[in-house]
Amino acid sequence: AGMDNENYTPVLLSCDEAARYIGIGPRVFLARVRPHIRCIRLGRRTVRYMRADIDRWVESVALLAEHPIGTRKVKWRIR
């Protein structure tokens, strides 16, 4: 039985794959996520990120969220 590539997420992700995995752009990934996770160098120019590290980062951000989605009260300042 072959592996169905459409439903398979590799353990190691490139920057573009990692960004797509969590639904953000590569620039945002490099600026906001990359500083908080490990990178694995597989050569001079090949860098990969562990999917498990990305999952842990997402969970940590979710735990730090001040309000669950839909419960934040927005105060409008009228000038």
Side-chain angles (χ1 to χ4, degrees):
M3 193 169 291
D4 182 8
N5 287 333
E6 288 184 30
N7 295 321
Y8 172 73
T9 304
V11 174
L12 298 177
L13 304 171
S14 68
C15 176
D16 288 345
E17 291 167 334
R20 196 173 327 113
Y21 178 66
I22 58 175
I24 61 176
R27 286 183 181 178
V28 175
F29 176 82
L30 290 173
R32 304 288 180 163
V33 182
R34 167 61 190 98
H36 304 285
I37 62 173
R38 296 175 288 183
C39 70
I40 297 174
R41 293 202 176 273
L42 300 175
R44 275 187 142 172
R45 300 180 65 183
T46 303
V47 176
R48 294 292 182 263
Y49 305 94
M50 291 183 62
R51 190 179 70 220
D53 287 351
I54 296 166
D55 291 340
R56 275 192 290 276
W57 179 84
V58 169
E59 285 296 324
S60 71
V61 169
L63 290 173
L64 293 175
E66 187 175 350
H67 300 281
I69 294 173
T71 64
R72 176 178 283 171
K73 301 245 187 263
V74 177
K75 294 182 180 179
W76 295 96
R77 179 179 286 172
I78 302 172
R79 292 184 181 182

